[in-house]
Amino acid sequence: MMTSSAIGPPPVPPRRVLCIGAAVLDTLFRVRSLPMGQGKILPYEMLQVAEGMASSAAFAVARLGGHASLWGAVGDDATGERILSDLGDSGIDTSGMTVVQGARSAISTILIDDEGERLIVPFYDQRLHDTVRPVTEREISAFDAVLVDVRWPKLALRALIAAGKTGKPAILDGDVAGEGVIEMLAPAASHMVFSQPAAERLAGTADLVESVGLLKRKFEHAFISVTAGENGSLWFDDQSGDIRHLDAPKVRAIDTLAAGDIFHGAFALAMAEGMPIEETMRLSSMAAALKCQVFGGRIGAPTRAQVCDALREWNVRGFKKVSDIELNR
């Protein structure tokens, strides 16, 4: 497979990434600080946007020059129509979305404070995912990579298995999930990128370095990485056997919502393009960091040109082995 560079233009024709999972209408309120108890809090900015883990990742793919398709589910209501319209207008192929009769579309209310941290109150109608469409190897062979989140596990599992059979990257967004969901999906995934909370929960430790090693021993067949916000990202280097670390770009974060999803979308596109893992992590880290500088959830996802310009200027201290890492433990 030909490889591309993190600071080069996207290949032509664009690589195709299938994202599977959450599609939610989010209402974002920007507040000075998050509430500490009961009472009334007055926001000074408000925005509604269709997003969710897989949806935001798909948007990142499109913004970075890839072709993004989304498989998820909405209800047969006005909210579902809004979600499909919003995502379609954002350059995402939604032809594979499912509209579920009698179900309510997913919604979420999110408070974001001046430090970029957030409080999320989501609602998912379980009926959205009662029926699971068949997934064929022929369908999956049309894509260059598959990325799934944890919101529709049964469909995600079918897609991961089909991706594995066709030799395509089968990537799991390892976020916090219900009991047994990660364990069900993990055997079919070729790459797993965990959030720090999910890694701590699965590994049983708050030590980031230790968690990477424990997760690698638990899921030996797959590439393992953990994203840790301002503490950067870590991954197990299968060639050297070392745990590697990349510092996070230094930015002033005003909204961290969807940053992890943007990382996953960039990661999936880089895998589809055949990018080396070091370049993949740099691209993904920078895309996520740039997003944090913009209020509006996934709307802040940068273009490929913006990421390339930032990477050229990034004074990164380089990749380090575990013995060189100094993290908050």
Side-chain angles (χ1 to χ4, degrees), residues 24-283:
V24 187
L25 182 61
D26 283 347
T27 301
L28 314 182
F29 293 106
R30 199 170 181 191
V31 298
R32 294 302 179 192
S33 59
L34 296 179
M36 300 299 291
Q38 65 179 0
K40 181 182 292 185
I41 183 168
L42 298 178
Y44 63 90
E45 194 168 352
M46 176 268 194
L47 174 69
Q48 283 191 314
V49 59
E51 48 188 3
M53 289 184 287
S55 299
S56 298
F59 183 62
V61 170
R63 289 282 284 172
L64 292 171
H67 182 283
S69 295
L70 179 67
W71 291 0
V74 297
D76 59 337
D77 51 20
T79 301
E81 293 176 1
R82 168 72 185 275
I83 291 171
L84 293 177
S85 175
D86 196 352
L87 295 175
D89 290 345
S90 298
I92 300 168
D93 177 7
T94 60
S95 61
M97 292 288 290
T98 299
V99 178
V100 182
Q101 300 298 312
R104 290 178 290 177
S105 298
I107 59 173
S108 184
T109 298
I110 303 171
L111 304 183
I112 302 171
D113 70 12
D114 283 345
E115 300 300 318
E117 296 305 319
R118 70 270 193 197
L119 174 66
I120 304 175
V121 183
F123 171 76
Y124 292 92
D125 187 338
Q126 295 302 312
R127 292 173 296 177
L128 287 172
H129 301 149
D130 280 348
T131 302
V132 183
R133 57 169 290 177
V135 178
T136 67
E137 293 177 37
R138 182 175 180 179
E139 283 181 295
I140 297 301
S141 66
F143 300 99
D144 299 295
V146 173
L147 169 68
V148 307
D149 69 27
V150 295
R151 290 290 178 249
W152 198 348
K154 292 181 181 178
L155 181 62
L157 180 59
R158 291 185 180 184
L160 290 174
I161 291 172
K165 290 180 178 178
T166 57
K168 304 299 176 67
I171 306 161
L172 172 60
D173 175 350
D175 203 353
V176 174
E179 189 69 29
V181 170
I182 295 292
E183 288 82 358
M184 180 183 77
L185 298 176
S190 62
H191 298 72
M192 288 185 274
V193 182
F194 293 95
S195 66
Q196 182 176 352
E200 291 177 354
R201 180 174 171 180
L202 282 167
T205 176
D207 187 307
L208 289 170
V209 174
E210 185 179 3
S211 70
V212 174
L214 289 170
L215 289 170
K216 182 60 182 180
R217 286 194 287 275
K218 187 178 182 70
F219 307 117
E220 294 181 349
H221 66 285
F223 169 84
I224 298 295
S225 176
V226 174
T227 60
E230 63 183 10
N231 284 323
S233 53
L234 301 93
W235 70 96
F236 189 90
D237 187 327
D238 291 306
Q239 292 186 338
S240 67
D242 295 321
I243 296 173
R244 312 288 288 183
H245 173 251
L246 176 65
D247 287 329
K250 301 301 182 184
V251 297
R252 181 181 179 275
I254 66 170
D255 178 8
T256 59
L257 181 67
D261 308 327
I262 302 307
F263 186 105
H264 285 92
F267 183 94
L269 180 59
M271 288 287 100
E273 293 179 1
M275 197 176 291
I277 193 59
E278 291 84 359
E279 295 297 301
T280 293
M281 299 303 287
R282 282 170 56 84
L283 176 76

